[in-house]
Amino acid sequence: MSIPNQPLRVLVVGCGNMGASHAIAYTTIGGFEICGIVSTGNSKVVLNERLGGGYSLYDDYAKALAETKPDAVCISTYPDTHEKFAIMAFEQGCHVFMEKPIADTVEGARNVMAAAQKADKKLVVGYILRHHPSWEKFVEIAQGLGKPLVMRMNLNQQSHGTMWTVHRNLMKSLSPIVDCGVHYIDVMCQMTRSKPLQVNAIGARLTNDIPAGNYNYGQLQIRFEDGSVGWYEAGWGPMMSETAFFVKDVIGPDGCVSIVAKNAGAAGKSDNVDSHTKTESLRVHKAALDANDQFVETDTWIDMQDEPDHQELCNREQRYFQKAILENLDLTDHMQDAVNSLQIAFACDESVRTGQPVML
């Protein structure tokens, strides 16, 4: 891929953990130039200083979009702004990189995809695990275990301090199993390559610090057309247990594969964002037995100690965004996958609220 003579001018919108990481990527990988930084609070000032200063700072997104006239916009704000901000960018002829989820409703997600197609501009959604070699290997091994698959995953976070503030703000518009679950629903769909048929979900509101209609603990179950089943669990808050908060495990007729993250899965790490993508090791177990019903093969371990850190994953996401623009990649499947995983997550949300299974 050739880097253009003129860098892509990008407007950074949202300066929290992910927004800051993407901004750092733009100043690191080449081919991008930040033309402005937008946030409603002081985070843009902090990020500006972190990047060495000198960037144009804005409180108002619409004003920033009009004045900077960017080639691309990076949206890392809270989900209830995603649809509006993305459509405004497309209407001004910009490409968009957007943190997941694509919107805070399924209709909104479809609107964003339609706006990208109408403008003939690229939309890349931040499914960070798709750019992680260890997770790619995890999916590949799972696909070789036969069918049906049993997929067991969770990410509970004993959040406090700044992370609890972030989670409380997120829960003004979404539940944990929607915001966080879209990643792992996407992984399950990649592993099975099968149509999801039905979801069941349960949830509990464990704090009065969130809106009355929301819940901060949830578990979802998905049944697929090929007989595969999967569950995902997510809980946020200072009351959450750190016992078995990091489970990534897939079972098939021919064996199983598990992520064994002894460091990232240790007590005190559940709300550490850097640890959420860590795999460290994959343990592969083969089910084959000999004539005495003893295992034919011992378990094998795939060492992932050299895996990319959180910042490098963000760098890779932005390289993909750059590649999509410069090489005019067809992102139809990419966008549709983002819509589909959100649709499944919201079906799970509906199941929590109604107490009933939801057919897809």
Side-chain angles (χ1 to χ4, degrees):
M1 179 183 67
S2 60
I3 303 297
N5 293 329
Q6 295 296 320
L8 294 162
R9 299 176 68 257
V10 60
L11 179 65
V12 174
V13 188
C15 308
N17 177 66
M18 295 308 299
S21 294
H22 293 312
I24 291 168
Y26 294 134
T27 63
T28 301
I29 66 175
F32 285 103
E33 176 185 289
I34 296 174
C35 61
I37 301 174
V38 185
S39 80
T40 54
N42 192 57
S43 59
K44 60 183 171 292
V45 177
V46 175
L47 178 58
N48 186 43
E49 292 175 356
R50 188 175 176 185
L51 296 175
Y55 293 100
S56 299
L57 305 183
Y58 295 89
D59 295 309
D60 183 80
Y61 170 62
K63 180 180 179 182
L65 196 59
E67 290 188 1
T68 62
K69 295 181 171 53
D71 301 307
V73 177
C74 174
I75 301 171
S76 303
T77 49
Y78 286 112
D80 56 357
T81 64
H82 285 189
E83 177 186 0
K84 177 182 177 182
F85 284 7
I87 290 174
M88 287 172 66
F90 289 130
E91 288 177 344
Q92 191 162 306
C94 304
H95 303 285
V96 172
F97 177 91
M98 178 195 296
E99 269 305 318
K100 57 79 194 166
I102 192 171
D104 62 352
T105 65
V106 176
E107 181 183 9
R110 292 185 179 128
N111 290 341
V112 171
M113 181 174 175
Q117 292 173 323
K118 180 180 178 181
D120 194 23
K121 295 297 177 180
K122 303 305 177 187
L123 169 64
V124 171
V125 184
Y127 278 66
I128 198 167
L129 299 182
R130 287 190 168 208
H131 301 271
H132 196 306
S134 303
W135 278 85
E136 290 175 319
K137 189 68 174 176
F138 184 45
V139 171
E140 177 190 325
I141 294 170
Q143 289 172 342
L145 297 176
K147 291 289 187 75
L149 294 175
V150 175
M151 297 162 289
R152 312 189 302 165
M153 301 185 194
N154 75 358
L155 182 58
N156 294 312
Q157 298 180 56
Q158 192 182 86
S159 51
H160 64 290
T162 301
M163 280 307 301
W164 182 224
T165 300
V166 170
H167 284 155
R168 280 196 303 253
N169 285 331
L170 283 167
M171 286 185 285
K172 290 176 182 177
S173 58
L174 293 177
S175 69
I177 60 170
V178 173
D179 180 81
C180 198
V182 290
H183 278 305
Y184 302 97
I185 292 169
D186 183 56
V187 168
M188 291 182 193
C189 290
Q190 290 180 63
M191 287 176 168
T192 63
R193 301 194 190 282
S194 178
K195 183 179 185 295
L197 298 178
Q198 178 184 310
V199 299
N200 299 267
I202 54 174
R205 184 173 181 264
L206 301 174
T207 175
N208 291 325
D209 283 355
I210 63 175
N214 207 350
Y215 54 95
N216 66 308
Y217 170 84
Q219 190 212 60
L220 62 87
Q221 300 175 340
I222 307 177
R223 182 166 62 85
F224 291 85
E225 192 171 51
D226 66 359
S228 296
V229 293
W231 63 256
Y232 175 73
E233 175 190 62
W236 294 342
M239 75 294 293
M240 291 306 303
S241 169
E242 288 199 323
T243 299
F245 70 85
F246 189 95
V247 176
K248 309 290 185 290
D249 193 33
V250 182
I251 307 159
D254 298 332
C256 59
V257 57
S258 311
I259 291 177
V260 182
K262 294 178 181 177
N263 181 51
K269 296 290 186 72
S270 67
D271 75 340
N272 182 330
V273 174
D274 283 334
S275 73
H276 293 172
T277 56
K278 291 291 184 183
T279 60
E280 298 173 23
S281 300
L282 298 178
R283 183 174 186 170
V284 183
H285 168 73
K286 297 296 180 65
L289 301 173
D290 64 17
N292 297 315
D293 282 346
Q294 299 300 312
F295 290 119
V296 174
E297 299 179 47
T298 58
D299 291 0
T300 56
W301 290 79
I302 301 174
D303 185 14
M304 296 294 183
Q305 291 294 337
D306 294 329
E307 63 188 352
D309 62 13
H310 182 264
Q311 183 56 55
E312 174 55 24
L313 286 171
C314 291
N315 295 350
R316 293 182 185 196
E317 284 188 293
Q318 296 308 328
R319 289 190 190 102
Y320 179 73
F321 184 40
Q322 185 181 67
K323 179 183 175 73
I325 295 169
L326 298 182
E327 299 184 11
N328 193 28
L329 299 184
D330 183 352
L331 298 181
T332 304
D333 288 345
H334 174 90
M335 293 187 289
Q336 191 61 58
D337 286 348
V339 174
N340 290 344
S341 60
L342 186 63
Q343 183 175 6
I344 296 166
F346 273 119
C348 295
D349 211 38
E350 179 185 342
S351 180
V352 172
R353 299 177 195 283
T354 63
Q356 300 295 320
V358 176
M359 303 303 293
L360 298 167

